[in-house]
């Protein structure tokens, strides 16, 4: 993960695909040699089994999950609406930290600041608050107060699965609201001050 990169999700997916390709090549090679494959060395075609097809489908699903973290909230909403349970569970697990107790969440927020310490402090507070606000669902009364120039968020929940909504949604909203309020005042939770 490179905090200065705008392609982390794509880079992670590419790395995963490279890893999966290497594993699948090893698996095919092993299964061919165990079957006493007598094909010549210059014949690169390998048998395609149902297991290989299942593995390819699984790799594509995992790639989809990794890429979806770039658009977390809209991807979670889509996963819920389409009943894509694997994607919904993956995205909820990735966002589970938001629903942890206040102390754990604040430590996490402090770590995020350290990760982005290259960003000027005031700019960090402004941009992080904006990002966190985009995670918060819009309530009906909030919709009435938005102007035409303000894009309306279309999600009702942070999490995609019912279980995560029951377990983390309320705490996540509280944590996000608290951090946003702190950031708007120029305060970063659990910020470690550098001395000297």
């Amino acid at each position: 993960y490179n905090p200065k990169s705008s392609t982390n999700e794509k880079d992670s997916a590419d790395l995963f695909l490279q890893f999966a390709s290497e594993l699948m090549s090893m698996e095919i090679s092993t299964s061919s040699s165990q079957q006493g494959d007598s094909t010549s060395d210059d014949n690169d075609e390998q048998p395609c089994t149902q297991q290989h097809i299942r593995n390819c489908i699984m790799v594509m699903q995992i790639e989809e999950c990794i890429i979806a973290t770039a658009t977390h909230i809209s991807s979670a909403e889509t996963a819920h609406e389409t009943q894509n349970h694997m994607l919904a569970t993956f995205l909820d697990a990735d966002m589970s930290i938001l629903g942890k107790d206040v102390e754990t969440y604040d430590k996490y927020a402090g770590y995020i600041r350290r990760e982005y310490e290259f960003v000027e402090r005031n700019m960090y507070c402004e941009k992080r608050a904006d990002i966190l606000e985009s995670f918060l669902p819009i309530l009906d009364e909030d919709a009435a107060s938005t102007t035409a120039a303000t894009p309306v968020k279309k999600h009702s929940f942070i999490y995609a699965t019912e279980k995560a909504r029951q377990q983390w949604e309320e705490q996540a909203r509280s944590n996000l609201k608290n951090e946003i309020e702190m950031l708007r005042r120029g305060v970063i939770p659990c910020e470690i001050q550098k001395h000297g």
Side-chain angles (χ1 to χ4, degrees):
Y1 182 80
N2 177 358
K4 294 182 180 182
S5 173
S6 63
T7 61
N8 281 312
E9 294 81 6
K10 171 89 172 82
D11 297 342
S12 294
D14 289 345
L15 185 62
F16 167 73
L17 289 174
Q18 179 184 350
F19 172 74
S21 177
E22 291 169 8
L23 282 179
M24 290 172 70
S25 293
M26 288 174 18
E27 180 185 315
I28 290 171
S29 175
T30 302
S31 68
S32 293
S33 64
Q34 288 175 350
Q35 294 173 5
D37 188 11
S38 60
T39 58
S40 64
D41 289 338
D42 56 345
N43 183 359
D44 289 337
E45 290 198 29
Q46 299 294 334
C48 187
T49 66
Q50 286 184 347
Q51 184 61 44
H52 295 133
I53 293 169
R54 282 193 293 274
N55 288 346
C56 289
I57 292 169
M58 181 183 64
V59 166
M60 290 171 28
Q61 290 171 332
I62 293 171
E63 178 190 22
E64 176 189 18
C65 290
I66 295 169
I67 295 292
T69 62
T71 56
H72 234 291
I73 297 299
S74 63
S75 294
E77 192 78 8
T78 300
H80 179 78
E81 290 170 1
T82 61
Q83 297 184 354
N84 184 335
H85 302 295
M86 181 177 175
L87 179 58
T89 301
F90 184 91
L91 292 169
D92 285 357
D94 193 45
M95 295 286 267
S96 64
I97 187 66
L98 302 181
K100 298 295 181 184
D101 63 89
V102 173
E103 183 180 344
T104 302
Y105 178 84
D106 285 351
K107 284 180 188 175
Y108 155 79
Y111 292 138
I112 296 295
R113 174 56 182 149
R114 277 193 265 167
E115 191 173 324
Y116 288 89
E117 65 187 356
F118 62 90
V119 177
E120 186 272 323
R121 192 174 195 294
N122 290 336
M123 177 65 72
Y124 173 85
C125 289
E126 177 186 339
K127 296 301 180 186
R128 172 114 174 119
D130 290 347
I131 290 167
L132 296 179
E133 281 181 344
S134 75
F135 291 171
L136 286 172
I138 193 163
L139 304 173
D140 289 338
E141 62 267 14
D142 294 336
S145 67
T146 59
T147 65
T150 306
V152 177
K153 297 178 278 186
K154 297 187 186 227
H155 62 279
S156 303
F157 298 95
I158 296 167
Y159 296 102
T161 64
E162 293 303 323
K163 182 169 179 135
R165 289 174 179 180
Q166 291 171 5
Q167 187 170 349
W168 298 316
E169 186 78 26
E170 186 177 331
Q171 186 63 48
R173 291 180 190 203
S174 176
N175 286 337
L176 292 172
K177 288 175 186 175
N178 288 340
E179 185 179 1
I180 291 164
E181 190 238 89
M182 292 174 74
L183 291 166
R184 296 289 185 217
R185 290 181 300 144
V187 177
I188 299 170
C190 293
E191 182 176 32
I192 297 174
Q193 300 291 330
K194 292 186 176 183
H195 300 287

